[in-house]
């Protein structure tokens, strides 16, 4: 069952808890109803070191939903290795060959100069949360 939320009014509290025995890094990606991707975490105000959880620790973030209406996906991607998806998601098509957003996220061959390459797919864990945004 999806959570139905009113745009601009309802909020969600995202809580990520490390219940395992090893620390992990995470990125939070938003996929809006029009299939636009954006990196929610890390940000300029929330660094990669803030996106690392030791065993038993928690991370909290309030999230407000906005247009467009429809199904929005929040995707958490976690790995024991440090990674930052902002250069991959935010890259413009002018600077490199055109790759689809999903290919950029999960292709083990894709690498950005000057930034760590993405961890191998086998080293990633992903979690999805779906929300229906209504008027």
């Amino acid at each position: 069952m999806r959570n139905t939320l009113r745009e601009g009014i309802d909020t969600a509290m995202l809580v990520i808890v490390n219940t395992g025995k090893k620390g992990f890094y995470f990125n939070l990606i938003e996929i809006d109803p029009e299939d636009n991707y954006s990196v929610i975490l890390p940000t300029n105000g929330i660094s990669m070191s803030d996106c690392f959880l030791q065993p038993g620790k928690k991370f909290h973030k309030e999230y407000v939903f906005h247009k467009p209406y429809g199904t929005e996906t929040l995707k958490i991607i976690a790995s024991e290795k440090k990674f930052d998806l902002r250069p991959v998601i935010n890259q413009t098509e002018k600077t490199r060959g055109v790759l689809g957003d999903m290919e950029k996220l999960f292709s083990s061959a894709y690498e950005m100069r000057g930034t760590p390459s993405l961890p191998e797919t086998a080293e990633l864990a992903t979690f999805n949360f779906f929300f229906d945004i209504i008027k």
Side-chain angles (χ1 to χ4, degrees):
M1 179 178 192
R2 291 187 181 150
N3 296 299
T4 300
L5 300 162
R6 293 169 293 157
E7 178 265 332
I9 298 171
D10 292 331
T11 61
M13 178 60 74
L14 174 69
V15 180
I16 303 170
V17 182
N18 184 348
T19 59
K21 295 180 180 179
K22 295 182 179 181
F24 63 82
Y25 291 92
F26 64 91
N27 282 217
L28 175 65
I29 297 172
E30 171 191 52
I31 306 169
D32 76 14
E34 296 175 350
D35 288 333
N36 296 311
Y37 291 68
S38 58
V39 177
I40 304 299
L41 294 170
T43 65
N44 291 338
I46 301 174
S47 69
M48 275 307 304
S49 60
D50 295 326
C51 294
F52 179 79
L53 285 180
Q54 292 286 355
K57 297 296 182 182
K58 296 180 183 180
F59 177 89
H60 297 83
K61 179 169 178 33
E62 186 175 39
Y63 189 81
V64 179
F65 294 88
H66 298 285
K67 291 180 187 177
Y69 303 120
T71 301
E72 180 160 318
T73 304
L74 295 182
K75 179 181 278 294
I76 299 171
I77 302 175
S79 175
E80 290 180 33
K81 294 185 178 181
K82 190 174 186 177
F83 69 106
D84 186 345
L85 295 177
R86 288 177 292 180
V88 179
I89 296 289
N90 299 333
Q91 174 195 334
T92 65
E93 294 175 1
K94 296 176 185 173
T95 60
R96 207 158 160 110
V98 177
L99 292 174
D101 286 325
M102 292 306 285
E103 183 181 359
K104 285 192 278 187
L105 274 178
F106 298 107
S107 171
S108 60
Y110 188 75
E111 197 169 318
M112 294 289 293
R113 282 175 274 160
T115 61
S117 59
L118 297 175
E120 294 293 326
T121 304
E123 297 173 349
L124 294 174
T126 63
F127 307 91
N128 296 307
F129 302 93
F130 303 98
F131 301 91
D132 286 327
I133 312 303
I134 62 172
K135 204 173 204 182

